Amino acid sequence: MASEKKDASALISKKKTIKPRKSRDADCCSVNFLKCVLHIFNVIFLFAGAGVFLVGAWTIATRHRFVALLPTPTYPAISYLLCIAGALGVPLCGLGCCGLKTENRTSLLCYTYFLLITFLLEVGAGGLAFYYEVAVEDELRFELNATFITNYALDTVVTDAVDIMQTEFKCCGANQYTEWRKSAWHEHDPRLLVPDSCCKTVTTRCGMRDHPSNIYYHGCVHEFTKHIRDQLVILAAVGVGMSVIPIFGFFFSCVLYVKIKHVID
């Protein structure tokens, strides 16, 4: 009889030490509330990801025509990072919706990790764009002229990019038009003083005359640098600005992951 009383008292004391699980609607940040917030977040994140992807794709499609003239692959790498980060939006939203519906902690954990990866991609692309926006001017000042005089007419991609640049920016040479006389292209045909794309009115072999009424006298480096820097500012703003959004999803999914463990139906 005494042993039975002892066992009963031990069981009661054990029950008192066990913390009761909370219901779904307990606390201000309940499971149901967090699920509703994350559903709304998924919609916002999907549209934000589409926006990031479109900016990256637009940069690749329309602003990469001068990439061959850049000494390093930093600029195109930023665009591709944004495309990857934006493209993760659709599968991530699908994974998040499945995890919320089933309340599967493994799915929620994967969802949280991928949100972190998206954040790192976007903030990395934005930070890299900010850094390169400052460094690109010095880089082009030292390297662009060498690209012009060494590769023009020998590399088709570089040749097309140079011709488009000189026509679009109304310039001639990297720093000044006289630099063309030191190029391998000029040695091949000394009668041509500058490429035809330097001419104000482009015609065949118009580069034989370097009079200011016929060709542009200022170099391309300043206009080209401004063009690249303006685009880098856009990429930096998109990358850093949009990287704020995954932080909220990461925080709410972490809280939900913990709370589901202590919830009973």
Side-chain angles (χ1 to χ4, degrees), residues 73-96:
T74 307
Y75 177 70
I78 295 168
S79 305
Y80 289 118
L81 282 176
L82 288 179
C83 280
I84 294 170
L88 286 174
V90 174
L92 256 180
C93 287
L95 179 62

Side-chain angles (χ1 to χ4, degrees), residues 196-215:
D196 293 343
S197 56
C198 286
C199 299
K200 295 179 178 180
T201 302
V202 179
T203 57
T204 304
R205 300 185 70 81
C206 63
M208 293 177 66
R209 192 167 69 94
D210 61 357
H211 193 270
S213 63
N214 185 50
I215 68 167

Side-chain angles (χ1 to χ4, degrees), residues 123-243:
V123 79
L128 192 59
F130 272 122
Y131 164 76
Y132 194 54
E133 191 266 336
V134 176
V136 69
E137 185 172 1
D138 292 334
E139 184 179 278
L140 289 176
R141 187 184 298 117
F142 290 108
E143 300 291 340
L144 188 61
N145 182 49
T147 303
F148 271 45
I149 65 176
T150 304
N151 297 321
Y152 187 81
L154 301 177
D155 187 319
T156 305
V157 176
V158 172
T159 303
D160 292 341
V162 170
D163 287 336
I164 293 171
M165 176 190 292
Q166 293 188 143
T167 303
E168 182 175 325
F169 296 148
K170 297 180 179 180
C171 56
C172 187
N175 298 296
Q176 54 185 353
Y177 75 99
T178 55
E179 292 170 343
W180 282 114
R181 297 178 186 178
K182 304 174 184 177
S183 66
W185 162 84
H186 176 68
E187 293 176 0
H188 179 70
D189 190 351
R191 290 176 298 175
L192 286 172
L193 303 177
V194 294
D196 293 343
S197 56
C198 286
C199 299
K200 295 179 178 180
T201 302
V202 179
T203 57
T204 304
R205 300 185 70 81
C206 63
M208 293 177 66
R209 192 167 69 94
D210 61 357
H211 193 270
S213 63
N214 185 50
I215 68 167
Y216 299 106
Y217 266 34
H218 61 278
C220 299
V221 65
H222 297 296
E223 288 295 326
F224 182 45
T225 301
K226 183 178 181 299
H227 171 82
I228 296 296
R229 291 184 71 177
D230 288 346
Q231 189 62 28
L232 285 170
V233 168
I234 295 173
L235 296 177
V238 170
V240 175
M242 290 301 185
S243 67

